[in-house]
Amino acid sequence: MNALGDRIAIIGCGSATPTPVMTNDDLAHLVDTSDEWIRTRTGIGQRHLASPEISLSDLCAQAASEAMKMAGLTASEIDLIILATSTPDDLFGSAARVQHLLGASNAVAFDLTAACSGFVFALVTAAQFIRTGVYRRVLVIGADVLSRWVDWSDRTTCVLFGDGAGAVVCQGTAEEDRLLGFELYSDGQQHDSLNLAYEGQEKSLKDGLRISQGTYQPITMNGREVYRFAVAKVPEVIEKALFRANLSTDDIDWLILHQANQRIIDAVAQRLKIPSEKVIANLEEYGNTSAASIPLALDEAVRSGKIKNGDIIATSGFGAGLTWGAAIFRWGT
């Protein structure tokens, strides 16, 4: 095993969002809603939406470039790229295109799909490659363009989602392992609560041989069930990850949850008895950016000077699948 490959440090972050913005007042011209209605129920004030000429891969490359710059690495030094997304430009995956855009010619690249839990799942996956000494420098990207899969006439979902990308660079180190603990879960029994489902029509190719051809339908969600699920499961999974890290909630410097709904964020923090001044939230500006939401919030907090080297951060992603997970890490080197 590589002597520098059995511990992990998270040494750089970056993010990218499209320039065009859709405010709550703008949405009120599309559906029966209002700024007050949306803010009261979600905490969201606006969301950034990718124009037709902007691809998911473009956003990923921008975020990844910023993360590598902070880490002091060039693209040729990256060994592995893991892209967590549910909305690739190509159904076969977009990680390899991101690798090409970055010029990371020495890196292997693959997509990972776990919806809004994707970044946490990808971070934990990256850690396994580093801890076994297989790869030393891993780029983890969380990105989604859910605006392309929203029914813009459905006010229960179109008010929620925005587009963006966030990335971190993980590196093997001989020093303290900075991924302190994690816990991951899935429950397919509740998969109907949040879907971006395939819908096809039967087609007969010859006698006795039938297939289905179609496309994916807009997002559908049972908001009440997703809220109940998140408020119940997220505090529990964070506590389990803290137990694995031999830490308590008092040791947490910052809590960064998937930015789904401000009421969920507030309820989880209250159940964990984490004061609001330790909670990082930016969904008022960006809405729910799915797999991008945690690294996007992390990047803003690091660049603003809020998160400092050595701070302990508790993160948790939760969403379709249903999937949920938590990771506790110490920021920086």
Side-chain angles (χ1 to χ4, degrees):
M1 182 181 293
N2 186 338
L4 293 178
D6 58 347
R7 298 182 177 95
I8 179 173
I10 303 171
I11 62 172
C13 58
S15 62
T17 53
T19 301
V21 167
M22 171 77 81
T23 68
N24 291 345
D25 288 333
D26 294 332
L27 276 172
H29 294 290
L30 293 180
V31 292
D32 181 17
T33 191
S34 67
D35 179 68
E36 181 184 11
W37 190 91
I38 298 169
R39 286 181 184 272
T40 301
R41 288 160 178 79
T42 70
I44 297 169
Q46 63 178 35
R47 66 286 297 147
H48 294 242
L49 305 181
S51 55
E53 61 271 13
I54 297 296
S55 69
L56 175 93
S57 301
D58 293 331
L59 292 173
C60 291
Q62 292 174 34
S65 295
E66 292 298 317
M68 290 188 298
K69 183 178 179 181
M70 182 184 288
L73 297 176
T74 64
S76 62
E77 294 177 288
I78 300 298
D79 302 312
L80 171 65
I81 299 170
I82 304 176
L83 170 56
T85 187
S86 301
T87 56
D89 299 318
D90 182 334
L91 193 59
F92 289 146
S94 290
R97 180 158 185 253
V98 174
Q99 179 234 29
H100 170 68
L101 291 174
L102 292 172
S105 56
N106 296 319
V108 64
F110 64 84
D111 290 46
L112 180 154
T113 302
C116 300
S117 305
F119 176 76
V120 172
F121 278 46
L123 179 65
V124 171
T125 301
Q128 310 318 305
F129 283 105
I130 291 173
R131 286 173 172 169
T132 57
V134 176
Y135 299 118
R136 188 180 176 207
R137 296 186 178 103
V138 183
L139 184 60
V140 177
I141 306 169
D144 273 302
V145 284
L146 284 172
S147 65
R148 294 173 181 171
W149 297 102
V150 166
D151 178 354
W152 289 97
S153 65
D154 177 8
R155 75 169 186 166
T156 64
T157 56
C158 76
V159 303
L160 301 175
F161 298 103
D163 304 332
V168 298
V169 174
C170 303
Q171 179 171 276
T173 176
E175 306 301 323
E176 173 199 15
D177 193 331
R178 298 212 157 194
L179 180 59
L180 306 174
F182 68 85
E183 195 82 9
L184 306 176
Y185 288 96
S186 301
D187 182 5
Q189 288 186 332
Q190 298 188 70
H191 76 278
D192 286 339
S193 297
L194 181 53
N195 292 113
L196 203 171
Y198 169 81
E199 184 174 278
Q201 293 184 334
E202 184 178 308
K203 182 176 182 179
S204 178
L205 299 182
K206 67 175 186 177
D207 291 343
L209 178 58
R210 297 173 296 116
I211 62 168
S212 173
Q213 285 193 317
T215 187
Y216 290 91
Q217 301 304 298
I219 295 168
T220 60
M221 182 176 68
N222 184 327
R224 181 172 296 179
E225 286 304 311
V226 171
Y227 178 87
R228 288 176 179 170
F229 146 73
V231 170
K233 296 298 186 181
V234 173
E236 178 183 274
V237 77
I238 291 173
E239 288 178 333
K240 289 182 177 180
L242 285 168
F243 178 79
R244 289 187 177 274
N246 196 28
L247 297 172
S248 72
T249 53
D250 293 335
D251 297 309
I252 296 173
D253 294 304
W254 302 104
L255 176 67
I256 306 179
L257 302 180
H258 164 50
Q259 306 289 294
N261 184 301
Q262 190 64 49
R263 292 195 296 178
I264 293 175
I265 294 171
D266 293 342
V268 171
Q270 289 169 8
R271 292 198 180 192
L272 292 171
K273 295 182 171 59
I274 296 175
S276 59
E277 57 267 23
K278 289 187 174 185
V279 179
I280 292 173
N282 66 356
L283 80 169
E284 182 180 7
E285 167 74 18
Y286 301 105
N288 179 346
T289 56
S290 192
S293 72
I294 292 174
L296 179 56
L298 171 69
D299 183 53
E300 282 200 335
V302 169
R303 292 180 187 274
S304 69
K306 184 176 286 189
I307 291 177
K308 296 178 172 58
N309 195 54
D311 283 357
I312 294 176
I313 302 166
T315 64
S316 180
F318 50 93
L322 293 173
T323 58
W324 67 103
I328 316 297
F329 62 90
R330 191 184 297 275
W331 170 253
T333 57

